[in-house]
Amino acid sequence: MNKMTPQVDGYLRKNKQWQKELGELRRIILDSPLTEEVKWRVLCYTFEGNNVVIIHGFKEYCGMTFVKGALLKDAKGVLAKPGENTQSARVIRFTSVGEITAMEPVLKAYIREAIEVEKAGLKVEFKKIDEFAVPEELQAKFDEAPKLKAAFEGLTPGRRRAYILHISSAKQSKTRASRVEKCSPRILGGKGLDDE
């Protein structure tokens, strides 16, 4: 069994809703060569410094997320995308300790496979920024304001992707246009959607 990190005990005590479930997931993961850490205020398990598995609690469920889950075979068909636009991570959701203990052999097999993915140095092939459709409201603004388009193209691919996804996620054109207006000063300032 791997060494437990005291910082994690505090994290589990604070997460009262899913404390038992996260504790059970932790026990299963620590029966592997992964190293336990707290990153981004969640429990993260690494192999040779690379993130492999994250466990976390949400309002409706707790989960085990495989950082490069898209590369796993998913023989049991239990992995799901955490969000519509997720490219790499895959999650298994739980609502009880019983669900976790029933899946223990599967979870251990998936953890071993995820470690093998890291050992092999495999990488997820991400969509290029050019493969994302620019929302028509943003394109219209680019057409009327070439400086905005130039500023947008000067952003990192990740920042451009974040803007495209944020704007295009609105269902109504009016909302998308409003988001374009709100984001334009940030884009012109060379800032990403979530930059300070």
PDB file of all heavy atoms in Angstrom, residues 68-83:
ATOM      1  N   LYS A  68      -6.235  10.677 -18.729  1.00  0.00           N
ATOM      2  CA  LYS A  68      -6.131  10.274 -20.136  1.00  0.00           C
ATOM      3  C   LYS A  68      -7.104   9.133 -20.433  1.00  0.00           C
ATOM      4  O   LYS A  68      -6.800   8.204 -21.176  1.00  0.00           O
ATOM      5  CB  LYS A  68      -4.694   9.848 -20.466  1.00  0.00           C
ATOM      6  CG  LYS A  68      -3.690  10.983 -20.407  1.00  0.00           C
ATOM      7  CD  LYS A  68      -2.311  10.494 -20.800  1.00  0.00           C
ATOM      8  CE  LYS A  68      -1.281  11.611 -20.725  1.00  0.00           C
ATOM      9  NZ  LYS A  68       0.083  11.095 -21.004  1.00  0.00           N
ATOM     10  N   GLY A  69      -8.285   9.236 -19.876  1.00  0.00           N
ATOM     11  CA  GLY A  69      -9.284   8.182 -20.023  1.00  0.00           C
ATOM     12  C   GLY A  69      -9.671   7.874 -21.452  1.00  0.00           C
ATOM     13  O   GLY A  69     -10.086   6.756 -21.767  1.00  0.00           O
ATOM     14  N   ALA A  70      -9.531   8.840 -22.353  1.00  0.00           N
ATOM     15  CA  ALA A  70      -9.855   8.606 -23.761  1.00  0.00           C
ATOM     16  C   ALA A  70      -8.955   7.531 -24.370  1.00  0.00           C
ATOM     17  O   ALA A  70      -9.317   6.923 -25.374  1.00  0.00           O
ATOM     18  CB  ALA A  70      -9.730   9.906 -24.556  1.00  0.00           C
ATOM     19  N   LEU A  71      -7.804   7.290 -23.755  1.00  0.00           N
ATOM     20  CA  LEU A  71      -6.869   6.288 -24.269  1.00  0.00           C
ATOM     21  C   LEU A  71      -7.106   4.905 -23.667  1.00  0.00           C
ATOM     22  O   LEU A  71      -6.485   3.930 -24.105  1.00  0.00           O
ATOM     23  CB  LEU A  71      -5.425   6.727 -24.005  1.00  0.00           C
ATOM     24  CG  LEU A  71      -4.993   8.037 -24.664  1.00  0.00           C
ATOM     25  CD1 LEU A  71      -3.567   8.388 -24.264  1.00  0.00           C
ATOM     26  CD2 LEU A  71      -5.128   7.950 -26.173  1.00  0.00           C
ATOM     27  N   LEU A  72      -7.986   4.798 -22.682  1.00  0.00           N
ATOM     28  CA  LEU A  72      -8.263   3.496 -22.067  1.00  0.00           C
ATOM     29  C   LEU A  72      -9.236   2.709 -22.933  1.00  0.00           C
ATOM     30  O   LEU A  72     -10.088   3.280 -23.614  1.00  0.00           O
ATOM     31  CB  LEU A  72      -8.836   3.684 -20.656  1.00  0.00           C
ATOM     32  CG  LEU A  72      -7.955   4.447 -19.657  1.00  0.00           C
ATOM     33  CD1 LEU A  72      -8.639   4.522 -18.301  1.00  0.00           C
ATOM     34  CD2 LEU A  72      -6.577   3.822 -19.531  1.00  0.00           C
ATOM     35  N   LYS A  73      -9.128   1.387 -22.881  1.00  0.00           N
ATOM     36  CA  LYS A  73      -9.985   0.533 -23.711  1.00  0.00           C
ATOM     37  C   LYS A  73     -11.437   0.550 -23.248  1.00  0.00           C
ATOM     38  O   LYS A  73     -12.333   0.329 -24.041  1.00  0.00           O
ATOM     39  CB  LYS A  73      -9.442  -0.895 -23.697  1.00  0.00           C
ATOM     40  CG  LYS A  73      -8.103  -1.024 -24.402  1.00  0.00           C
ATOM     41  CD  LYS A  73      -7.606  -2.464 -24.384  1.00  0.00           C
ATOM     42  CE  LYS A  73      -6.245  -2.561 -25.014  1.00  0.00           C
ATOM     43  NZ  LYS A  73      -5.164  -2.647 -24.055  1.00  0.00           N
ATOM     44  N   ASP A  74     -11.691   0.770 -21.976  1.00  0.00           N
ATOM     45  CA  ASP A  74     -13.033   0.797 -21.388  1.00  0.00           C
ATOM     46  C   ASP A  74     -13.805  -0.479 -21.713  1.00  0.00           C
ATOM     47  O   ASP A  74     -14.934  -0.454 -22.208  1.00  0.00           O
ATOM     48  CB  ASP A  74     -13.805   2.046 -21.839  1.00  0.00           C
ATOM     49  CG  ASP A  74     -15.062   2.283 -20.996  1.00  0.00           C
ATOM     50  OD1 ASP A  74     -15.168   1.698 -19.902  1.00  0.00           O
ATOM     51  OD2 ASP A  74     -15.922   3.044 -21.446  1.00  0.00           O
ATOM     52  N   ALA A  75     -13.185  -1.608 -21.383  1.00  0.00           N
ATOM     53  CA  ALA A  75     -13.768  -2.917 -21.660  1.00  0.00           C
ATOM     54  C   ALA A  75     -15.150  -3.090 -21.029  1.00  0.00           C
ATOM     55  O   ALA A  75     -16.003  -3.796 -21.573  1.00  0.00           O
ATOM     56  CB  ALA A  75     -12.826  -4.017 -21.166  1.00  0.00           C
ATOM     57  N   LYS A  76     -15.402  -2.448 -19.906  1.00  0.00           N
ATOM     58  CA  LYS A  76     -16.686  -2.591 -19.212  1.00  0.00           C
ATOM     59  C   LYS A  76     -17.686  -1.494 -19.585  1.00  0.00           C
ATOM     60  O   LYS A  76     -18.807  -1.485 -19.100  1.00  0.00           O
ATOM     61  CB  LYS A  76     -16.475  -2.595 -17.691  1.00  0.00           C
ATOM     62  CG  LYS A  76     -15.613  -3.732 -17.196  1.00  0.00           C
ATOM     63  CD  LYS A  76     -16.302  -5.065 -17.418  1.00  0.00           C
ATOM     64  CE  LYS A  76     -15.454  -6.205 -16.869  1.00  0.00           C
ATOM     65  NZ  LYS A  76     -16.034  -7.509 -17.103  1.00  0.00           N
ATOM     66  N   GLY A  77     -17.270  -0.541 -20.414  1.00  0.00           N
ATOM     67  CA  GLY A  77     -18.177   0.516 -20.863  1.00  0.00           C
ATOM     68  C   GLY A  77     -18.673   1.421 -19.741  1.00  0.00           C
ATOM     69  O   GLY A  77     -19.823   1.854 -19.765  1.00  0.00           O
ATOM     70  N   VAL A  78     -17.801   1.722 -18.783  1.00  0.00           N
ATOM     71  CA  VAL A  78     -18.217   2.520 -17.621  1.00  0.00           C
ATOM     72  C   VAL A  78     -17.697   3.961 -17.647  1.00  0.00           C
ATOM     73  O   VAL A  78     -18.101   4.773 -16.821  1.00  0.00           O
ATOM     74  CB  VAL A  78     -17.791   1.847 -16.292  1.00  0.00           C
ATOM     75  CG1 VAL A  78     -18.531   0.540 -16.107  1.00  0.00           C
ATOM     76  CG2 VAL A  78     -16.277   1.634 -16.246  1.00  0.00           C
ATOM     77  N   LEU A  79     -16.820   4.288 -18.583  1.00  0.00           N
ATOM     78  CA  LEU A  79     -16.246   5.627 -18.633  1.00  0.00           C
ATOM     79  C   LEU A  79     -17.165   6.585 -19.383  1.00  0.00           C
ATOM     80  O   LEU A  79     -17.758   6.228 -20.400  1.00  0.00           O
ATOM     81  CB  LEU A  79     -14.878   5.604 -19.320  1.00  0.00           C
ATOM     82  CG  LEU A  79     -13.781   4.801 -18.625  1.00  0.00           C
ATOM     83  CD1 LEU A  79     -12.521   4.781 -19.479  1.00  0.00           C
ATOM     84  CD2 LEU A  79     -13.484   5.359 -17.242  1.00  0.00           C
ATOM     85  N   ALA A  80     -17.266   7.801 -18.861  1.00  0.00           N
ATOM     86  CA  ALA A  80     -18.092   8.827 -19.494  1.00  0.00           C
ATOM     87  C   ALA A  80     -17.290  10.115 -19.613  1.00  0.00           C
ATOM     88  O   ALA A  80     -16.394  10.377 -18.809  1.00  0.00           O
ATOM     89  CB  ALA A  80     -19.348   9.076 -18.664  1.00  0.00           C
ATOM     90  N   LYS A  81     -17.635  10.926 -20.605  1.00  0.00           N
ATOM     91  CA  LYS A  81     -17.026  12.255 -20.717  1.00  0.00           C
ATOM     92  C   LYS A  81     -17.601  13.123 -19.597  1.00  0.00           C
ATOM     93  O   LYS A  81     -18.817  13.166 -19.432  1.00  0.00           O
ATOM     94  CB  LYS A  81     -17.375  12.900 -22.059  1.00  0.00           C
ATOM     95  CG  LYS A  81     -16.597  12.403 -23.234  1.00  0.00           C
ATOM     96  CD  LYS A  81     -16.993  13.226 -24.455  1.00  0.00           C
ATOM     97  CE  LYS A  81     -16.075  12.967 -25.619  1.00  0.00           C
ATOM     98  NZ  LYS A  81     -16.347  13.901 -26.717  1.00  0.00           N
ATOM     99  N   PRO A  82     -16.757  13.839 -18.867  1.00  0.00           N
ATOM    100  CA  PRO A  82     -17.290  14.721 -17.818  1.00  0.00           C
ATOM    101  C   PRO A  82     -18.102  15.881 -18.382  1.00  0.00           C
ATOM    102  O   PRO A  82     -19.008  16.380 -17.741  1.00  0.00           O
ATOM    103  CB  PRO A  82     -16.049  15.246 -17.100  1.00  0.00           C
ATOM    104  CG  PRO A  82     -14.909  14.453 -17.589  1.00  0.00           C
ATOM    105  CD  PRO A  82     -15.311  13.786 -18.857  1.00  0.00           C
ATOM    106  N   GLY A  83     -17.798  16.302 -19.585  1.00  0.00           N
ATOM    107  CA  GLY A  83     -18.510  17.403 -20.234  1.00  0.00           C
ATOM    108  C   GLY A  83     -18.531  17.185 -21.736  1.00  0.00           C
ATOM    109  O   GLY A  83     -17.713  16.442 -22.282  1.00  0.00           O
TER     110      GLY A  83
END
